[in-house]
Amino acid sequence: MLSIKIVCVGKIKEKALKELCNEYLKRLSKYAKMEIIELEDEKLPQNLNDAEIQKIKQIESNKLKEKLIKIGKSTIFFLDLKGKEYSSDAFSKKIEDLTTYGTSTLVFVIGGSLGMTDELLNTSENKICFSSMTFPHQLIRVFLLEQLFRAFKMINHETYHH
């Protein structure tokens, strides 16, 4: 069975968002072995300057890099504002193609609220942007889970609202 790991910096604190994530994880369990790995985020000082932003991005990116090394062989997707925007159809096709041609583990990486270093982002050609609009950081996890669920419904020719 396909394994999907979502590696995130930070935890979801809002009860409603946690419940929504859990609902999508339950639905997705029919299609893949799901795992969410939460890494501790760095506390942001009151007045951030550029040097502090870079330092925090580096610390969080190092944590992500260490976790990705431990996960091992996989296809990695970084969620990044400079990434490719997919339609739901195109995203579904990408997932289907990867699973058809031998990928057994997909890893989706959601960095901290300040983003990830270019060094880390350059370790994979797969970068996804859900929108150029700004959303609460924790909401992106819900978007990802919903789009994964939608993709599997499409791949399996199952009805899902349009």
Side-chain angles (χ1 to χ4, degrees):
M1 179 178 252
L2 177 67
S3 175
I4 297 177
K5 299 176 187 297
I6 301 173
V7 181
C8 316
V9 172
K11 296 181 184 281
I12 291 184
K13 297 168 184 76
E14 291 85 7
K15 182 180 177 189
L17 291 179
K18 279 184 189 177
E19 290 173 356
L20 197 50
C21 284
N22 288 335
E23 178 61 29
Y24 279 114
L25 288 169
K26 185 173 109 182
R27 293 179 187 188
L28 280 160
S29 68
K30 172 181 174 183
Y31 306 104
K33 180 181 177 224
M34 299 295 301
E35 181 181 6
I36 293 189
I37 302 166
E38 295 178 326
L39 305 177
E40 188 173 344
D41 56 344
E42 294 298 303
K43 302 302 173 226
L44 302 180
Q46 196 73 304
N47 296 316
L48 276 174
N49 61 40
D50 287 341
E52 289 169 324
I53 289 171
Q54 293 311 313
K55 179 182 174 187
I56 290 169
K57 282 174 65 170
Q58 188 66 56
I59 291 168
E60 291 178 346
S61 292
N62 287 345
K63 289 179 188 180
L64 288 166
K65 183 179 178 182
E66 288 173 20
K67 182 54 73 177
L68 293 172
I69 289 169
K70 286 181 183 174
I71 290 171
K73 187 176 181 198
S74 57
T75 300
I76 299 170
F77 290 85
F78 290 110
L79 277 66
D80 180 53
L81 288 172
K82 298 176 200 152
K84 178 179 178 178
E85 288 191 40
Y86 287 88
S87 67
S88 293
D89 286 336
F91 183 64
S92 171
K93 180 76 171 116
K94 178 88 172 171
I95 300 294
E96 183 175 32
D97 287 349
L98 286 168
T99 57
T100 299
Y101 298 108
T103 296
S104 60
T105 303
L106 301 178
V107 179
F108 293 87
V109 181
I110 303 172
S113 58
L114 299 176
M116 295 172 269
T117 63
D118 288 340
E119 176 189 0
L120 179 62
L121 289 168
N122 289 333
T123 61
S124 175
E125 62 188 41
N126 297 307
K127 295 172 193 73
I128 298 172
C129 177
F130 281 117
S131 172
S132 57
M133 298 174 87
T134 302
F135 295 103
H137 185 69
Q138 296 177 347
L139 198 52
I140 294 302
R141 192 181 312 184
V142 176
F143 290 171
L144 174 59
L145 289 167
E146 190 282 333
Q147 284 300 302
L148 285 168
F149 179 66
R150 183 180 297 272
F152 282 107
K153 294 295 266 184
M154 294 169 80
I155 290 166
N156 290 285
H157 308 289
E158 299 172 0
T159 304
Y160 190 56
H161 64 82
H162 299 281

